[in-house]
């Protein structure tokens, strides 16, 4: 389950950020996961919970935002969400489109409480 490794990276990023804000308490971390990233959001949440249970990070909430696959039309530059593997442009019908999103795997936000 590589989601556990990702959960660990997320926690490390939170810890690094917390060090930069002495006294502040990180209450929530948001992660953006594209549907092409090959990450199961449920597994990630589960792994994160397993990782923080019984530690000082136990009450840290994880918010996973999934990002849909997006394409851009090479002919008219329309960007659109790909649904049911339909890659043709909904604007002009062109078949030549390129993938521009959906493989995200990044921190979206940190929510902190100042004492
Ligand atoms: Zn188009």
């Amino acid at each position: 389950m590589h989601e556990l490794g990702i959960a660990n990276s997320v926690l490390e990023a939170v810890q690094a950020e917390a060090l930069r804000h002495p006294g502040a308490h990180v209450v929530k971390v948001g992660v953006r996961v594209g549907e092409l990233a090959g990450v199961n959001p449920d597994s990630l949440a589960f792994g994160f919970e397993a990782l923080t249970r019984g530690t000082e990070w136990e009450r840290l909430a994880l918010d996973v935002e999934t990002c849909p696959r997006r394409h851009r039309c090479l002919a008219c530059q329309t960007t659109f969400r790909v649904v049911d593997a339909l890659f043709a442009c909904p604007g002009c019908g062109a078949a030549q489109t390129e993938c521009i999103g959906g493989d995200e795997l990044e921190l979206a936000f940190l929510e902190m409480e100042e004492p």
Side-chain angles (χ1 to χ4, degrees), residues 23 47 51 60 64 82 92 96 101 108:
L51 205 62
L60 176 64
V64 181
V82 175
C92 69
Q96 297 287 315

Short mmCIF file of all heavy atoms in Angstrom, two decimals, residues 23 47 51 60 64 82 92 96 101 108:
data_model
loop_
_atom_site.label_atom_id
_atom_site.label_comp_id
_atom_site.label_asym_id
_atom_site.label_seq_id
_atom_site.Cartn_x
_atom_site.Cartn_y
_atom_site.Cartn_z
N GLY A 23 4.59 27.22 18.40
CA GLY A 23 3.43 27.58 19.21
C GLY A 23 2.11 27.36 18.51
O GLY A 23 1.10 27.14 19.15
N GLY A 47 -4.38 5.22 5.91
CA GLY A 47 -2.95 5.18 6.23
C GLY A 47 -2.54 6.32 7.14
O GLY A 47 -1.75 6.16 8.06
N LEU A 51 -1.08 6.10 10.91
CA LEU A 51 0.23 6.69 11.16
C LEU A 51 0.22 7.65 12.35
O LEU A 51 1.18 7.73 13.11
CB LEU A 51 0.63 7.46 9.91
CG LEU A 51 2.11 7.70 9.63
CD1 LEU A 51 2.83 6.37 9.46
CD2 LEU A 51 2.25 8.55 8.38
N LEU A 60 -4.89 15.60 14.21
CA LEU A 60 -4.72 16.29 12.94
C LEU A 60 -5.65 15.67 11.89
O LEU A 60 -5.62 14.48 11.65
CB LEU A 60 -3.26 16.15 12.47
CG LEU A 60 -2.90 16.73 11.11
CD1 LEU A 60 -3.08 18.24 11.11
CD2 LEU A 60 -1.46 16.39 10.76
N VAL A 64 -8.82 15.15 1.91
CA VAL A 64 -8.36 14.75 0.58
C VAL A 64 -9.31 15.29 -0.48
O VAL A 64 -10.50 14.99 -0.47
CB VAL A 64 -8.27 13.21 0.46
CG1 VAL A 64 -7.77 12.83 -0.94
CG2 VAL A 64 -7.34 12.64 1.52
N VAL A 82 -12.60 15.42 -18.42
CA VAL A 82 -12.82 14.18 -19.16
C VAL A 82 -13.72 13.25 -18.35
O VAL A 82 -13.42 12.93 -17.21
CB VAL A 82 -11.48 13.47 -19.45
CG1 VAL A 82 -11.73 12.11 -20.11
CG2 VAL A 82 -10.61 14.34 -20.34
N CYS A 92 -15.43 22.22 -30.04
CA CYS A 92 -15.40 22.18 -31.50
C CYS A 92 -15.40 20.76 -32.06
O CYS A 92 -15.44 20.56 -33.26
CB CYS A 92 -14.17 22.93 -32.01
SG CYS A 92 -12.61 22.10 -31.64
N GLN A 96 -8.04 16.01 -31.24
CA GLN A 96 -6.69 16.25 -30.73
C GLN A 96 -6.73 17.11 -29.46
O GLN A 96 -6.84 18.33 -29.52
CB GLN A 96 -5.85 16.98 -31.79
CG GLN A 96 -5.64 16.18 -33.06
CD GLN A 96 -4.66 15.04 -32.85
OE1 GLN A 96 -3.62 15.23 -32.24
NE2 GLN A 96 -4.99 13.85 -33.33
N GLY A 101 -4.30 17.99 -16.57
CA GLY A 101 -4.51 17.87 -15.13
C GLY A 101 -5.12 16.55 -14.76
O GLY A 101 -5.67 15.84 -15.59
N ALA A 108 -2.47 20.96 -0.39
CA ALA A 108 -3.35 22.04 -0.79
C ALA A 108 -3.33 23.16 0.24
O ALA A 108 -3.21 24.33 -0.09
CB ALA A 108 -4.77 21.53 -1.00
#
